[in-house]
């Protein structure tokens, strides 16, 4: 579904990503592990069209995403839910969710159906629909952010650190919902520092260090790998 080939990304003279080769197959939930500053957000921003790669190829289904504008990438079916949530805090939860439906604004019936599906994933948001998004708890704001991304009807959903700053119980629920989104048919690429929880729901994972992919494997291989456990799980 998604193929990255020999991808390089630079900020001026600093090479943030070097020679990235990665695939995500339809239906998979793939986790990208890496410490702060490893390059995970840079990779997502390159796929989303927010940063232009210096070299290499980004293919999604039959399209080359390199050089595409971010809104065209979303229309192609690749949607990013960015780190830090980036909601419109003064606008209501409902308005925030509907912002995600902008690319499908002519399909009112489809958007209504999709909104119901999103509210089934996050029932608490139905009660909060009229409240300003900024008044919600951190976990609820993260639900709005993922819900907004789902309103764009992604075939590939990219989640950047969705568990950041959330309480442990909320993190557990968040990972369960991400797994549910995947099992309902959306392919997921998930960047996480919460390695153990992420690997438990993953099919496969990559490890990124200093802008390079240094390891790849399926869930069992990663959970059983001593280097991964030492560096990212702490056991
Ligand atoms: P985090 O989880 O902290 O966001 P990350 O793995 O997502 O980490 P990136 O944010 O992609 O890492 O950063 C990768 C590298 O690129 C870091 O060394 C960072 O300092 C650098 N970097 C990121 N954005 C810029 C920018 N706009 N200009 C220059 N350097 C940048």
């Amino acid at each position: 579904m998604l193929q990255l080939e020999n991808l390089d990304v630079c900020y001026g003279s600093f090479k943030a990503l070097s020679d990235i080769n990665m695939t995500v197959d339809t239906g998979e939930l793939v986790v990208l592990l890496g410490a702060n500053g490893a390059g995970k957000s840079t990779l997502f921003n390159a796929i989303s069209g927010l940063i232009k790669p210096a070299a290499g190829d980004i293919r999604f289904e039959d399209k080359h995403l390199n050089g595409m504008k971010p809104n065209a990438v979303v229309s192609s079916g690749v949607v990013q839910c960015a780190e830090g949530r980036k909601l419109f805090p003064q606008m209501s939860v409902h308005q925030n969710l509907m912002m995600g439906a902008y690319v499908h604004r002519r399909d009112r019936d489809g958007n209504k159906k999709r909104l119901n599906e999103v509210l089934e994933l996050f029932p608490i948001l139905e009660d909060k629909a009229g409240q300003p998004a900024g008044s919600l708890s951190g976990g609820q704001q993260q639900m709005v952010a993922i819900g907004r991304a789902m309103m764009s009807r992604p075939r590939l959903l990219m989640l950047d650190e969705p568990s950041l700053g959330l309480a442990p119980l909320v993190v557990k629920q968040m990972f369960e919902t991400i797994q549910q989104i995947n099992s309902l048919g959306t392919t997921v690429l998930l960047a996480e520092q919460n390695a153990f929880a992420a690997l438990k729901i993953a099919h496969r994972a990559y490890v990124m260090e200093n802008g390079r992919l240094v390891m790849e494997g399926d869930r069992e291989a990663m959970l059983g790998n001593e280097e991964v456990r030492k560096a990212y799980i702490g056991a």
Side-chain angles (χ1 to χ4, degrees):
M1 180 182 233
L2 178 76
Q3 272 174 306
L4 309 180
E5 276 173 19
N6 310 113
L7 195 72
D8 290 347
V9 175
C10 299
Y11 295 112
S13 60
F14 173 66
K15 202 172 194 181
L17 296 181
S18 300
D19 201 25
I20 301 292
N21 290 283
M22 176 188 254
T23 58
V24 179
D25 293 331
T26 305
E28 274 194 311
L29 196 164
V30 174
V31 165
L32 178 60
L33 300 177
N36 262 333
K40 306 180 298 296
S41 302
T42 300
L43 183 66
F44 279 17
N45 289 337
I47 297 168
S48 299
L50 296 165
I51 307 175
K52 201 171 155 18
D57 195 21
I58 305 171
R59 248 179 309 148
F60 178 70
E61 296 173 336
D62 55 351
K63 287 195 174 115
H64 292 272
L65 299 189
N66 319 37
M68 253 194 205
K69 295 236 162 63
N71 59 342
V73 174
V74 171
S75 297
S76 305
V78 180
V79 180
Q80 172 170 203
C81 183
E83 187 184 347
R85 305 192 268 273
K86 298 198 172 73
L87 298 179
F88 299 96
Q90 326 282 359
M91 285 166 63
S92 72
V93 167
H94 181 260
Q95 286 169 327
N96 270 278
L97 290 175
M98 293 315 289
M99 293 293 284
Y102 184 76
V103 281
H104 304 289
R105 60 194 173 281
R106 283 184 198 91
D107 179 14
R108 286 174 158 235
D109 289 346
N111 288 336
K112 220 172 180 179
K113 181 166 170 276
R114 189 63 170 193
L115 182 62
N116 286 332
E117 289 164 4
V118 167
L119 294 175
E120 266 173 43
L121 283 171
F122 303 111
I124 184 99
L125 297 185
E126 189 145 24
D127 301 334
K128 308 271 178 191
Q131 292 188 22
S135 70
L136 270 55
S137 71
Q140 291 164 354
Q141 290 193 33
Q142 185 61 61
M143 292 176 195
V144 178
I146 296 177
R148 183 179 58 181
M150 289 303 287
M151 288 303 296
S152 305
R153 307 184 205 174
R155 290 198 295 291
L156 173 64
L157 175 67
M158 298 195 294
L159 298 167
D160 196 355
E161 306 269 4
S163 77
L164 200 72
L166 304 184
L169 187 64
V170 183
V171 169
K172 189 169 172 284
Q173 289 165 350
M174 185 60 66
F175 280 109
E176 282 169 10
T177 308
I178 294 167
Q179 190 168 37
Q180 195 185 352
I181 288 171
N182 175 245
S183 61
L184 288 170
T186 306
T187 305
V188 176
L189 179 58
L190 168 66
E192 261 298 335
Q193 296 206 33
N194 203 330
F196 188 56
L199 285 176
K200 276 204 298 193
I201 64 166
H203 297 114
R204 258 181 338 115
Y206 290 88
V207 177
M208 182 176 267
E209 281 174 12
N210 300 319
R212 290 180 183 274
L213 293 178
V214 294
M215 217 183 288
E216 187 222 328
D218 65 17
R219 171 184 39 215
E220 279 71 29
M222 287 301 208
L223 282 170
N225 184 296
E226 203 166 325
E227 271 178 66
V228 171
R229 295 186 77 91
K230 269 192 196 146
Y232 299 99
I233 301 177

